[in-house]
Amino acid sequence: MEKDYQLIILGGGPAGLAAGIYSARNKLDSLLIEKAMVGGLAVYADLIENYPGFPDGIGGLELGELMLRQAEKFGLKTLTAEVTGLDLADSRKTVRTRESDLTARALIIALGSERINLDVPGEKEFVGRGVSYCATCDAAFFQEKEVAVVGGGNSAISEALHLAKFAAKVNIIHRRNQLRATPLFADKAKSDPRINFIWNTTVDAIEGNDNVEKLRLVDVLTGQKSTLPVSGVFVSIGQRPNTVLVKGKVPLDANGYIITNEKMETGLPGVLAAGDIRSNSIRQTISAAGDGATAAIYADRYLGA
Ligand SMILES: Cc1cc2nc3c(=O)[nH]c(=O)nc-3n(C[C@H](O)[C@H](O)[C@H](O)COP(=O)(O)OP(=O)(O)OC[C@H]3O[C@@H](n4cnc5c(N)ncnc54)[C@H](O)[C@@H]3O)c2cc1C
């Protein structure tokens, strides 16, 4: 395999793939490196209903495959490998994998983020069948049903407020007796008649047959167990950006996400970032793809300058 490129794209989710389509179509000698399945987090979405151009929705896996086909048609090269190290100090950047070192004048970092899971029985089994990590994506499937949101931060409250527009009742299950969310946001949730709070409580198990039917709960103060019948549970206990490799090398925000300007530039010449890994990303397929396109265009301008 060739070792030197104009542009290397790290990560094969929607951000990396969109960057790949734009850069390959602009005739940049580009390589995309992905450690797992191309398509990124979106492959876990059974049906994506809010990506433009698919009025009947599209499976995340299929969307990823279509994006890859489109990028490869324009000449994007791909490599299945885990990126294990980055040297960003020189004008030619080095990307290390277990097998080889590769170099490029420009990099687009699109390594996404990882959600923090509840890690309780039933969680994995019911993903896409009542367990969700994204109310923007899945709230519409729970019209007039009873659901739960697990968490107490701004994301959890935002998920609950969005769900309350669809569901008959939204139970916020929080392990403490007060929210971590900002007071203005918390007050909005407390005054919403469709939102109910279950304090000092954790989820012990998620149960059902074909789909989620109930949650097993534990009161953390008394140890008392109870059951909550729900059709869906939205886990919102945090995300972890995949920024271990760039810590101390590019500016990160307080939560560890990469800070960029509107051109997706990180401040380090030739190093751009796109998608869910970016500070203040709305963490959607469309925003990731948009970021990827923007990053590829500004990487092209950097390389042509
Ligand atoms: C269950 C589920 C349902 C969703 N439903 C929707 C929906 O309906 N609509 C919507 O708009 N969005 C949805 N999303 C969100 C959407 O999937 C993400 O916003 C989007 O995938 C982010 O794209 P990204 O390219 O920034 O990151 P990711 O998709 O996370 O891609 C990052 C890629 O980088 C790779 N990677 C990480 N570390 C390394 C490494 N060291 N070396 C090599 N590769 C690496 C990962 O394997 C991954 O493929 C959903 C997410 C989930 C989990």
Side-chain angles (χ1 to χ4, degrees):
M1 163 158 257
E2 182 192 340
K3 300 251 165 145
D4 188 44
Y5 298 85
Q6 285 180 293
L7 171 70
I8 296 181
I9 299 161
L10 312 177
L17 286 165
I21 293 169
Y22 273 72
S23 62
R25 196 162 174 270
N26 273 354
K27 301 203 181 306
L28 290 183
D29 181 27
S30 323
L31 174 74
L32 180 147
I33 307 178
E34 166 58 52
K35 69 172 177 181
M37 193 187 290
V38 169
L41 272 189
V43 303
Y44 297 105
D46 279 347
L47 189 65
I48 296 183
E49 289 195 306
N50 52 6
Y51 192 81
F54 299 96
D56 301 319
I58 181 165
L61 190 63
E62 194 189 346
L63 183 61
E65 284 167 0
L66 287 173
M67 287 182 179
L68 177 64
R69 220 171 82 198
Q70 196 173 353
E72 286 182 333
K73 186 180 93 177
F74 294 117
L76 180 73
K77 296 172 192 123
T78 57
L79 172 68
T80 306
E82 179 169 3
V83 178
T84 51
L86 293 172
D87 294 338
L88 305 180
D90 297 335
S91 63
R92 198 157 286 283
K93 284 96 181 119
T94 303
V95 177
R96 301 188 192 289
T97 71
R98 277 182 232 296
E99 295 77 24
S100 58
D101 288 356
L102 305 157
T103 53
R105 269 190 63 214
L107 294 186
I108 295 176
I109 303 166
L111 297 172
S113 62
E114 274 172 19
R115 58 175 188 243
I116 301 173
N117 293 334
L118 274 178
D119 276 333
V120 298
E123 181 180 21
K124 267 195 203 133
E125 294 85 323
F126 286 109
V127 169
R129 294 190 292 133
V131 171
S132 173
Y133 302 87
C134 174
T136 312
C137 315
D138 296 333
F141 298 122
F142 296 91
Q143 296 275 3
E144 293 308 318
K145 303 225 165 106
E146 181 161 350
V147 298
V149 172
V150 187
N154 281 330
S155 315
I157 300 308
S158 159
E159 297 281 88
L161 288 167
H162 183 68
L163 277 161
K165 294 181 200 156
F166 299 85
K169 185 174 177 186
V170 182
N171 299 284
I172 297 180
I173 301 169
H174 188 36
R175 62 189 165 148
R176 305 186 204 287
N177 64 357
Q178 56 182 20
L179 298 172
R180 275 181 294 111
T182 48
L184 211 102
F185 220 31
D187 289 348
K188 213 171 158 194
K190 284 176 187 163
S191 62
D192 190 314
R194 290 194 181 211
I195 296 180
N196 170 52
F197 289 87
I198 302 178
W199 302 109
N200 299 314
T201 298
T202 56
V203 176
D204 225 14
I206 300 168
E207 294 179 351
N209 288 303
D210 289 341
N211 297 300
V212 168
E213 289 171 10
K214 57 179 180 277
L215 305 180
R216 299 248 175 231
L217 306 181
V218 182
D219 185 312
V220 292
L221 301 180
T222 62
Q224 196 176 338
K225 298 189 180 213
S226 60
T227 302
L228 180 72
V230 288
S231 306
V233 52
F234 288 76
V235 180
S236 190
I237 55 173
Q239 292 273 128
R240 228 180 267 118
N242 291 322
T243 45
V244 184
L245 297 171
V246 295
K247 204 169 173 195
K249 297 175 183 169
V250 298
L252 304 181
D253 70 13
N255 296 316
Y257 290 85
I258 300 178
I259 298 170
T260 68
N261 62 15
E262 74 282 1
K263 298 176 184 171
M264 308 296 136
E265 295 164 338
T266 62
L268 209 60
V271 181
L272 300 97
D276 285 12
I277 199 165
R278 246 174 27 90
S279 180
N280 292 325
S281 162
I282 55 161
R283 294 194 208 118
Q284 292 288 287
T285 307
I286 178 100
S287 54
D291 283 1
T294 306
I297 284 171
Y298 284 101
D300 189 25
R301 291 191 189 168
Y302 170 79
L303 290 165

